[in-house]
């Protein structure tokens, strides 16, 4: 067992921070575009239900955005307080990428979110729509630059090392590094899936509470449609990403698969308990040849095992196996549950339309078709995107260890010389604050849903003290 | 003080130091006023509090982004200094971050929470604003003391912490004088009068301490002929303070004339004080230890960012002005109905 030294504590602290942070961009990236869609549909049709959907979700967007901003600022400071070695070694590359994030994305979001939230009655409709679109674009740009940097840390290229410092030689190669396109697409899809299931789950909750409003139907359909359409795309994308990882970070793939020895026709380990001491899996349930087939598309293709990543002197150069192995299974398992649930829901909704053709004219999808148990199953799945995203994130980031920048610098090289008790103290405080905020965040979403379901969309008893009056004033008679 | 513009390794660090300095100044003025409003929060009635939030609601997020830009520029342009400064300020940075988290989320939560939770979020809004201001003031004090850690420097840090918090309250009340009317505006004028002493003592304390701590800075200010060239700086600051003091005694003027003036003059005063500090510390980024040239990233990397900044910063300025124009005028009591 490792002792709780500064390195380990700093890693736990950064992991806690980034885990908390990533929850909110995961929502805002796609929710921004969904809001833009709602706003666009309202402009096209003049149908109040789209604006009601906009008004409901813009509040959750604002809340998620604030949570993302404050935890993001925390992270940007932690580079300096806990990991000064990172910027000192690769600052010449990480610096411009982070600078472009702030310059192109941060300000765009931060300025136009003011207009998006509070500007409805003050600006012309086209400007309000533009502001909504620019905020969505800003969050996407922000994700793009961060993923560029993160991908470069996994598959670095386009630089040379001089006196222990990285110097850029080819910016094109740095930005379009080999894993960036896969990682970016995987993350964007993850965000849309998270939002799809969040919308579906919260709308199902409102439906169960007896809310039969037209906007809840529109939202439920939008959520289920996003989930059902994108989950197969995501599974395909994940497969491509896996192939890319196999090429550039074979040790990570070996840990994901729980594969110890290099072999042809490697089995897919469905279940097992990896044991790094004994270098084997206990209680393994395997399907022969399947891992090789998935990763090489040949039943007898060769996969490199973990035992090949031990240096001559016995230094372990592969990641800790159990966390990578398990988080990968959680991600895939959640993804399969999403596939099953969204397709079942879509099928029921579509069949209902087929049965009642003509009665519910113009609807290619009817919410009435959803059986009660299915609605109940959608509610806890509201946060399934978070589970899958975090699990995927752990797979890829723990899978990079012991490297911070693959093959260039280890995590240990970057850590600050700060006393362990200080890191411990701040870590405990962060954890307490994050737990409380998460509790409040989910509580407020449930409260807003319950209030909206009562047909009381914050109009009567609640004043908008942060000033959503513009948006609220839009449809006075409902 | 001007660099050699023919040599990128010379002018790029200078340009980035200027850019970083500018974004810190913009941050101090802009987030200064909304942090100040947060510090003044408990002094107002619930109805006034809603009006106060309304006056900063559309802006605080963008204001805070200037801090991200400033730290980002420190991080990307002077990575060695970034590590040195932030590890030395580990705990105050932590306190500031907790403060920023609390107040940032309180904005959103208080508007959406049940009524009996709202009081709790109001308290977080105040506590978060105060923590942030105190932590920033403490960091400023330690920075002036060359990041030395001793009981004496901590004492000075505690002093600057209080002065900066009062200074933020001052610029916050100047903002409220412009954005409010009636009883709340009268209150804001009073808060402005009462917190002006903090500004005077704060500028005074920093001006006295800086040359005493560093012989280099002492020479920079108090040798001939520099002392002549620099004399307008303190004289002008003194005149601005007098002007503010007179204004605040007789405001609000009839018909709410020139209600923007205290905020404009306060901004000018902050800028002058800041200019004096910048002059003192240049070319050091870590006082008397590390210059901007020693700490700078590779010129090639700086150039990449510089090109982007030249295009993007004017655009940012442009749409920030747009946002302030859209939300100009008195803050309204914002309701759903």
């Amino acid at each position: 067992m490792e002792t709780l030294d500064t390195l380990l504590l700093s890693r736990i602290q950064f992991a806690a921070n980034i885990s908390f942070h990533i929850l909110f961009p995961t929502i805002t990236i796609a929710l921004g575009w969904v809001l833009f869609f709602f706003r666009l549909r309202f402009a096209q049709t003049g149908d109040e239900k789209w604006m009601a959907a906009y008004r409901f979700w813009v509040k959750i967007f604002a809340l998620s955005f604030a949570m993302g901003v404050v935890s993001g600022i925390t992270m940007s400071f932690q580079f300096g307080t806990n990991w000064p070695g990172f910027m000192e070694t690769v600052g010449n590359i990480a610096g411009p990428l982070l600078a472009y994030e702030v310059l192109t994305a941060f300000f765009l979001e931060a300025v136009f979110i003011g207009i998006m939230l509070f500007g409805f009655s003050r600006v012309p409709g086209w400007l309000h729509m533009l502001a909504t679109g620019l905020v969505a674009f800003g969050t996407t740009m922000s994700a793009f630059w961060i993923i560029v940097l993160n991908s470069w840390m996994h598959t670095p290229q386009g630089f040379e090392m001089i006196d222990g410092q990285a110097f850029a030689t080819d910016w094109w190669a740095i930005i379009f590094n080999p894993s960036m396109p896969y990682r970016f697409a995987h993350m964007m899809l993850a965000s849309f899936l998270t939002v799809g299931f969040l919308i579906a789950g919260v709308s199902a909750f409102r439906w169960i509470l007896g809310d039969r409003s037209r906007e809840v139907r529109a939202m439920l359909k939008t959520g289920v449609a996003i989930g059902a359409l994108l989950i197969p795309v995501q599974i395909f994308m994940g497969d491509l990403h896996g192939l890319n990882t196999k090429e550039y970070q074979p040790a990570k793939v070996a840990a994901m698969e729980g594969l110890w020895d290099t072999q042809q026709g490697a089995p897919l380990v469905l279940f097992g308990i990896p044991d790094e001491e004994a270098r084997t899996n206990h209680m393994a349930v395997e399907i022969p040849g399947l891992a090789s087939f998935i990763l090489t598309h040949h039943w007898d293709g060769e996969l490199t095992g973990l035992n090949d990543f031990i240096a001559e002197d016995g230094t372990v150069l592969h990641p800790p196996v159990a966390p990578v192995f398990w988080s990968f299974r959680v991600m895939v398992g959640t993804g399969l549950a999403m596939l099953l649930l969204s397709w079942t829901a879509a099928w029921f909704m579509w069949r209902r339309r087929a049965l009642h053709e003509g009665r519910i004219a113009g609807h290619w999808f009817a919410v009435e078709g959803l059986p009660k148990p299915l609605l109940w199953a959608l509610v806890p799945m509201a946060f399934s995107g978070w589970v899958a995203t975090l699990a995927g994130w752990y797979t890829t980031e723990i899978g990079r260890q012991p490297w911070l920048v693959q093959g260039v610098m280890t995590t240990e090289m970057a850590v600050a010389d700060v006393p362990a008790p200080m890191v411990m103290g701040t870590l405990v405080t962060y954890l307490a604050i994050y737990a409380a905020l998460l509790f409040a965040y989910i509580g407020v979403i449930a409260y807003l849903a319950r209030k909206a379901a009562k047909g009381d969309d914050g109009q009567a008893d609640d004043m908008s003290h942060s000033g959503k009056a513009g948006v609220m004033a839009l449809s006075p008679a409902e | 003080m001007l660099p050699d513009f023919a040599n990128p390794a010379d002018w790029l660090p200078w340009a980035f130091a200027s850019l970083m300095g500018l974004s810190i100044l913009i941050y101090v003025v802009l987030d200064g006023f909304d942090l100040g409003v947060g510090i003044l929060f408990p002094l107002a009635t619930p109805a006034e509090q809603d009006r106060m939030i309304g006056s900063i609601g559309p802006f605080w997020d963008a204001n805070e982004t200037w801090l991200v830009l400033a730290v980002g520029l420190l991080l990307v342009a002077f990575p060695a200094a970034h590590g040195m400064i932030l590890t030395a300020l580990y705990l105050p940075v932590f306190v500031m971050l907790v403060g920023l988290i609390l107040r940032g989320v309180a904005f959103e939560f208080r508007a959406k929470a049940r009524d009996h939770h709202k009081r709790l979020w109001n308290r977080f809004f105040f506590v978060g604003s105060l923590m942030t201001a105190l932590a920033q003031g403490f960091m400023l004090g330690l920075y002036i003391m060359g990041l030395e850690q001793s009981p004496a420097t901590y004492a000075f840090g505690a002093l600057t912490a209080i002065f900066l918090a009062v200074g933020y309250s001052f610029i916050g009340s100047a903002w409220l004088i412009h954005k409010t009317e009636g009883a709340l505006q009268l209150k804001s004028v009073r808060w402005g009068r009462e917190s002006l002493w903090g500004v005077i003592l704060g500028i005074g304390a920093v001006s006295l301490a800086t040359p005493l701590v560093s012989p280099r800075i002492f020479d920079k200010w108090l040798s001939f002929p520099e002392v002549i060239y620099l004399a307008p700086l303190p004289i002008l600051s003194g005149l601005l303070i007098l002007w503010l003091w007179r204004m605040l005694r007789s405001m609000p003027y009839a018909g709410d004339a020139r209600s923007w003036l205290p905020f404009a003059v306060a901004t000018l005063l902050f800028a002058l004080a800041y200019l004096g500090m910048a002059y003192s510390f240049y070319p050091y980024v870590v006082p008397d230890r590390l210059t901007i040239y020693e700490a700078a990233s590779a010129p090639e990397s700086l150039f990449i960012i510089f090109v982007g900044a030249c295009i993007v910063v004017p655009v940012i300025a442009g749409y920030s002005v747009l946002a302030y124009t859209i939300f100009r005028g008195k803050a309204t009591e914002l309701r759903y109905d």
Side-chain angles (χ1 to χ4, degrees), chain A residues 40-238:
Chain A
L40 194 69
R41 292 295 287 149
F42 174 69
Q44 284 173 339
T45 62
D47 190 334
E48 289 297 342
K49 74 177 180 193
W50 295 113
M51 205 57 213
Y54 185 95
R55 292 184 334 194
F56 180 77
W57 286 100
V58 84
K59 288 182 223 165
I60 291 169
F61 182 88
L63 193 61
S64 314
F65 191 83
M67 300 274 268
V69 167
V70 295
S71 55
I73 293 179
T74 309
M75 280 197 343
S76 72
F77 274 90
Q78 283 203 341
F79 279 125
T81 52
N82 294 47
W83 305 101
F86 176 68
M87 288 309 277
E88 281 160 23
T89 310
V90 299
N92 288 324
I93 288 159
L97 300 179
L98 288 170
Y100 270 89
E101 186 197 2
V102 178
L103 287 173
T104 60
F106 259 46
F107 277 102
L108 198 67
E109 302 167 75
V111 171
F112 284 100
I113 197 173
I115 300 173
M116 173 181 172
L117 297 179
F118 311 119
F120 193 90
S121 58
R122 290 183 181 248
V123 299
W126 64 267
L127 184 52
H128 184 249
M129 181 122 83
L130 181 71
T132 308
L134 285 173
V135 168
F137 178 70
T139 52
T140 307
M141 283 299 284
S142 184
F144 173 79
W145 288 114
I146 278 299
I147 297 248
V148 165
L149 173 56
N150 181 267
S151 299
W152 182 82
M153 290 160 70
H154 284 270
T155 52
Q157 62 172 33
F159 68 103
E160 58 182 347
M161 296 298 289
I162 302 171
D163 297 333
Q165 257 196 314
F167 287 85
T169 54
D170 180 355
W171 279 103
W172 197 255
I174 289 169
I175 294 174
F176 293 95
N177 63 76
S179 64
M180 190 278 282
Y182 302 100
R183 221 175 278 278
F184 182 60
H186 204 43
M187 183 67 216
M188 286 301 289
L189 286 164
S191 175
F192 272 94
L193 284 171
T194 303
V195 167
F197 279 89
L198 180 68
I199 292 179
V202 171
S203 312
F205 182 56
R206 280 175 63 171
W207 187 275
I208 288 166
L209 291 174
D211 185 349
R212 297 288 181 274
S213 58
R214 291 173 57 248
E215 82 254 22
V216 105
R217 290 164 197 269
M219 279 156 40
L220 198 46
K221 283 183 205 173
T222 309
V224 170
I226 292 174
L229 289 175
L230 293 186
I231 188 77
V233 185
Q234 178 70 312
I235 290 171
F236 177 67
M237 203 59 205

Side-chain angles (χ1 to χ4, degrees), chain A residues 14 41 77 97 121 179 196 198 201 206 249 278 282 287 299 324 341 359 378 430 443 470 477:
Chain A
F14 199 75
R41 292 295 287 149
F77 274 90
L97 300 179
S121 58
S179 64
L198 180 68
R206 280 175 63 171
Q249 296 176 302
H282 301 299
I287 302 176
W299 288 101
V324 177
L341 190 64
R359 267 223 276 154
L378 280 172
Y430 278 129

Side-chain angles (χ1 to χ4, degrees), chain A residues 65 92 95 100 458 464-465 472, chain B residues 61 76 118 298 301 304 334 336:
Chain A
F65 191 83
N92 288 324
Y100 270 89
S464 167
H465 306 299
M472 290 304 122
Chain B
D61 204 346
V76 304
K118 196 177 146 189
S301 291
I304 295 266
L334 297 161
Y336 278 114

